[in-house]
Amino acid sequence: MNVELRHPVRQRTQRVKPAVIDCDIHPKPSLTALKPYLSSRWWEYLQTYGLRPRHGFAKGYPYPKAAPQAARRDAWPPGGGLPGSDLSFMQAQYLDHYGIEFGVMNPLAPSGQAEQNPDLSAALVAATNEWQIAAMSGRDPRLKASIVVPYEDGEASRAEIHKRAASGDYVQVLLLSRTAEAAGRRRYWPIYEAAVEHGLPVGIHVFGYSGWAMTNTGWPSFYLEETTENATSAQAIVTSFIMEGVFERYPELKIVLIETGFAWLPALGWRLDKIWKRLKDEVPHVKRAPSELIREHFWVSTQPMEEPEDPDHLVEVMEWIGFDRIVFASDYPHWDFDDPFLTLPPSLDEDRRSRILSGNARALFRL
Amino acid sequence: MPELKAIDCDVHPGVPDIKALSPYLDEHWRDAVEERGIPSLESISYPPNAPLTARPDWRGQNGVAAASVADLAPHVFDRWGADRAILNCLYGVQLVFNEDMAVAFARAVNNWIVKEWLDRDPRLAASIVVPPQNVEAAVDEIERCGSDRRFVQILLLAMGEVPLGRRSLWPIYAASERLDLPIGIHAGSAYRHPVTSLGWPSYYVEDYAAQAQAFQSQVASLISEGVFAKFPALKVVLIESGVTWLPGFLWRFAKFWRGLRTEVPWVDRSPAEIVRDHFRLTIQPLDGPTSPEAVERAIDHLRSDDMLLYASDFPHWQFDGEQPLPAGIPAGLTRKILLENPIATYNRLKGS
């Protein structure tokens, strides 16, 4: 939401501020910022044909966002450029202000991850990966990069992961949630194989365009629905990972669900357990109960955190998920940003709070 | 008339064979079934021999379950103690692409239900099968059947061509309100879209799992489009939807509504309140945790005693043993679920 920033000197100064590792910061290069990392072939192609995601709009989005660039209105750098493009402004407004220990960057458009032209997709993700280091993490060691991959091409993704992983700057492989097929399908397995090989978790951030209707009953009308439906897509992702047997094949694989919400996860596990029990003979490769596989292989990030009328209900859901599986995310600089010191349910004790704010992410990303 | 004890809000009469509908089809479609070799309209939402489609001990000698009143009544009424039951026929009329054919088969199914079921057992009530392929024809069929008070609901599938809030469908909701026939949305797909927003999955188990996602999308659509602002008396029953997904969904949807309500100004109160006022859910499957204590917690998250309706989902294999009510339902809620909530939902069952 768009609120005035609080004064940096907080009332709680007598207490030591807990460490914060933010698992969802959005750096935003303009296409021009990516130009130094693109060949003239692709630069000229982009000038002529532009980006072509799997939707119909040459500019903007099928469902207009809540704000320009889906950003906080105060996140536009005073010196110009897009929210998330200016490191020094990001430092002042966010990293320094909140004393962020580490922040994992998740670049979204124009990263080219789901661009229809597969060769352009591969070129754009490579440029985005290089830009993250040159413009951001190379200049501020608090920022950690994600390897963005041209995920509709499994082998090209594998190659991109191999190319980047040796540098310690990248802490995860990043996919968007609306892939052309559900993420457990075999075409994506080279991505998981490479991630496991390099000991990197796979983060799946909401949005993107699968090309299919955003609900299994057709296209909704409103951005309110589009963003709500990110949770249903995430449910299909978890279901697919489990029923395709991905975790039997890659037992070391760790999946981080980013900006999907999490209150739906226990109920999904209960449903899948029950159906799996009935239909086991259809998926004999799934050896363990779905809820066990979820408990072992999935992490969830906090923002946007569901808000029940009774806050204790959320704590119960967190208990069902496991306090070792929840990591803090702010979504800076987007409009629905969460403040690390105001967001978590007040009834959480210091141990649980500190695990969510930093401990779980520190272990997950080996920071 | 003796006091009712329980109403089973979801049982499934099975069309044993497409020929069973022949007497109820006009000549053109009766001939078409023969001449074009139309084998059946059964849906892959419930593959006929899949374990979930019918509990093994409820299948007859030919493998078919619930093909007649005699197959259904001993379980639903005699063993589990319901006094009334609502028939939801899932024959795949909604899947058909030819709207004339869909209209013909919807009429045939409804007439078959009257003759083969409702006329044979006064404890049975039924939902009206409608052809959503053509809204005008759907309304005609609602009005035709609705004059028979034994039809108590309008049946739609969870996955159709467009989300159910879309305004092209509103004449159906106007008819629903006018004739006091709640909208029942049942699991199932017309297969106009893949069953996930990420395309077609590999396995049937994913298809069935995805039903719960469709219900989330339908609740979001019906509220966002303003259906309840336009039709304040409308009631919607989510049937075989699962239950435990609802609280977490509402916490998310209501939060986004607070942030984005300028986009849908006709939604003038929290979606959580709208859902508690307008939506009901059948109890099988609950999709609850294994421990009864956790089931009680999950049900508490609904923050309403009025929303759950008893259903066995016969002959779908949702439970083992002979107790359709899941363990962990708070004792104080049992009577509400078995009787009071269904009666409050289906006015046509009052005093009938």
Side-chain angles (χ1 to χ4, degrees), chain A residues 221 244 271 282 307 316, chain B residues 202 204 225 287 297 301:
Chain A
S221 300
E244 294 280 354
R271 180 172 177 87
E282 195 204 13
E307 287 181 23
E316 281 177 333
Chain B
S202 302
Y204 170 64
E225 299 276 359
D287 292 337
R297 297 308 311 140
H301 289 188

Side-chain angles (χ1 to χ4, degrees), chain A residues 28 61 65 67-72 76 82-83 109 333-335:
Chain A
K28 182 87 172 183
Y61 305 98
K65 304 280 184 188
Q69 296 292 327
R72 282 168 40 167
W76 290 79
L82 299 169
H334 288 164
W335 68 278

Side-chain angles (χ1 to χ4, degrees), chain A residues 1 63-66 177-183 185-186 206 210-237 239-241 243-245 259-264 266-268 270-279 281-283 285 304-310 312-314 316-317 320 335-336 338 343, chain B residues 50-52 157-164 166-167 189 193-206 208-218 220-222 224-225 240-242 244-245 247-260 263-264 266-267 270 272-273 276 284-290 294 297-298 300-303 317-320:
Chain A
M1 316 288 163
Y63 298 92
K65 304 280 184 188
S177 63
R178 288 192 175 119
T179 40
E181 295 179 25
R185 302 261 301 177
R186 290 173 199 169
V206 295
S210 69
W212 303 107
M214 278 181 188
T215 84
N216 54 16
T217 186
W219 293 96
S221 300
F222 305 108
Y223 176 60
L224 167 62
E225 293 172 276
E226 182 198 19
T227 190
T228 301
E229 295 297 343
N230 280 316
T232 51
S233 298
Q235 290 160 42
I237 290 170
T239 304
S240 172
F241 268 113
M243 297 306 173
E244 294 280 354
E259 209 176 319
T260 61
F262 55 79
W264 47 267
L268 178 69
W270 301 331
R271 180 172 177 87
L272 294 182
D273 278 0
K274 179 177 167 177
I275 308 170
W276 172 71
K277 200 174 130 197
R278 287 278 182 273
L279 302 169
D281 64 336
E282 195 204 13
V283 284
H285 48 273
M305 192 155 43
E306 286 88 348
E307 287 181 23
E309 292 150 294
D310 177 347
D312 288 343
H313 288 169
L314 192 70
E316 281 177 333
V317 166
W320 287 333
W335 68 278
D336 45 352
D338 271 355
T343 297
Chain B
L52 206 118
L157 291 186
M159 295 180 224
E161 185 117 36
V162 295
L164 286 173
R166 288 282 190 164
R167 288 153 199 180
S189 178
H193 303 279
V195 296
T196 86
S197 53
L198 311 172
W200 299 95
S202 302
Y203 303 108
Y204 170 64
V205 66
E206 296 174 83
Y208 193 75
Q211 301 290 347
Q213 288 135 47
F215 285 99
Q216 294 167 59
S217 305
Q218 299 295 17
S221 173
L222 287 163
S224 300
E225 299 276 359
E240 205 181 319
S241 56
T244 52
W245 56 265
F249 162 79
L250 286 176
W251 306 340
R252 175 181 179 86
F253 184 46
K255 172 176 179 153
F256 284 136
W257 165 76
R258 279 200 299 279
L260 298 168
E263 193 185 22
V264 288
W266 42 83
V267 184
S270 170
E273 290 174 38
R276 282 195 290 265
Q284 280 292 358
L286 177 69
D287 292 337
T290 44
R297 297 308 311 140
D300 186 54
H301 289 188
L302 292 171
R303 291 171 64 91
W317 186 7
Q318 299 292 1
F319 61 92
D320 296 306

Side-chain angles (χ1 to χ4, degrees), chain B residues 33-330:
Chain B
V33 167
E34 286 297 325
E35 287 172 14
R36 301 172 68 182
I38 302 170
S40 160
L41 301 187
E42 274 172 303
S43 165
I44 58 163
S45 290
Y46 297 93
N49 296 322
L52 206 118
T53 304
R55 205 169 106 174
D57 55 327
W58 299 339
R59 287 184 189 269
Q61 284 190 335
N62 57 359
V64 177
S68 71
V69 173
D71 295 338
L72 182 142
H75 299 280
V76 170
F77 299 129
D78 305 341
R79 287 199 202 168
W80 306 328
D83 312 285
R84 306 295 309 273
I86 301 172
L87 300 164
N88 293 315
C89 182
L90 299 179
Y91 205 60
V93 171
Q94 301 87 348
L95 282 69
V96 170
F97 288 99
N98 175 336
E99 65 183 59
D100 300 325
M101 179 177 167
V103 170
F105 274 85
R107 288 177 68 99
V109 166
N110 290 324
N111 290 342
W112 171 80
I113 288 171
V114 169
K115 288 281 184 251
E116 303 294 334
W117 296 82
L118 299 181
D119 286 353
R120 288 169 191 247
D121 192 325
R123 295 171 294 184
L124 292 169
S127 297
I128 304 168
V129 173
V130 300
Q133 294 90 335
N134 181 320
V135 172
E136 203 177 327
V139 170
D140 287 347
E141 186 63 8
I142 291 165
E143 285 175 344
R144 188 183 74 86
C145 297
S147 61
D148 181 339
R149 300 282 297 176
R150 295 173 298 178
F151 282 106
V152 299
Q153 177 167 254
I154 297 162
L155 189 65
L156 297 170
L157 291 186
M159 295 180 224
E161 185 117 36
V162 295
L164 286 173
R166 288 282 190 164
R167 288 153 199 180
S168 58
L169 299 171
W170 285 19
I172 294 176
Y173 308 132
S176 163
E177 214 182 33
R178 188 168 68 245
L179 298 171
D180 208 0
L181 290 160
I183 299 292
I185 305 175
H186 193 285
S189 178
Y191 294 96
R192 296 301 193 265
H193 303 279
V195 296
T196 86
S197 53
L198 311 172
W200 299 95
S202 302
Y203 303 108
Y204 170 64
V205 66
E206 296 174 83
D207 180 303
Y208 193 75
Q211 301 290 347
Q213 288 135 47
F215 285 99
Q216 294 167 59
S217 305
Q218 299 295 17
V219 175
S221 173
L222 287 163
I223 292 175
S224 300
E225 299 276 359
V227 169
F228 301 103
K230 179 78 174 177
F231 305 106
L234 189 71
K235 288 187 268 193
V236 178
V237 185
L238 308 182
I239 311 170
E240 205 181 319
S241 56
V243 172
T244 52
W245 56 265
L246 182 63
F249 162 79
L250 286 176
W251 306 340
R252 175 181 179 86
F253 184 46
K255 172 176 179 153
F256 284 136
W257 165 76
R258 279 200 299 279
L260 298 168
R261 61 191 185 279
T262 54
E263 193 185 22
V264 288
W266 42 83
V267 184
D268 57 2
R269 59 194 181 123
S270 170
E273 290 174 38
I274 295 174
V275 164
R276 282 195 290 265
D277 284 353
H278 291 276
F279 285 85
R280 299 294 177 258
L281 299 90
T282 59
I283 194 85
Q284 280 292 358
L286 177 69
D287 292 337
T290 44
S291 95
E293 296 74 31
V295 168
E296 189 163 350
R297 297 308 311 140
I299 286 180
D300 186 54
H301 289 188
L302 292 171
R303 291 171 64 91
S304 167
D305 292 343
D306 302 327
M307 294 179 67
L308 299 180
L309 311 181
Y310 170 68
S312 66
D313 195 21
F314 180 84
H316 296 165
W317 186 7
Q318 299 292 1
F319 61 92
D320 296 306
E322 291 294 331
Q323 179 47 268
L325 270 188
I329 302 284

Side-chain angles (χ1 to χ4, degrees), chain A residues 29-68:
Chain A
S30 62
L31 268 185
T32 310
L34 295 180
K35 187 179 177 185
Y37 312 100
L38 289 167
S39 66
S40 58
R41 150 82 175 131
W42 291 121
W43 180 252
E44 282 156 23
Y45 181 101
L46 281 167
Q47 300 314 299
T48 311
Y49 298 103
L51 290 164
R52 288 168 56 253
R54 293 176 188 221
H55 67 68
F57 290 84
K59 293 178 180 175
Y61 305 98
Y63 298 92
K65 304 280 184 188

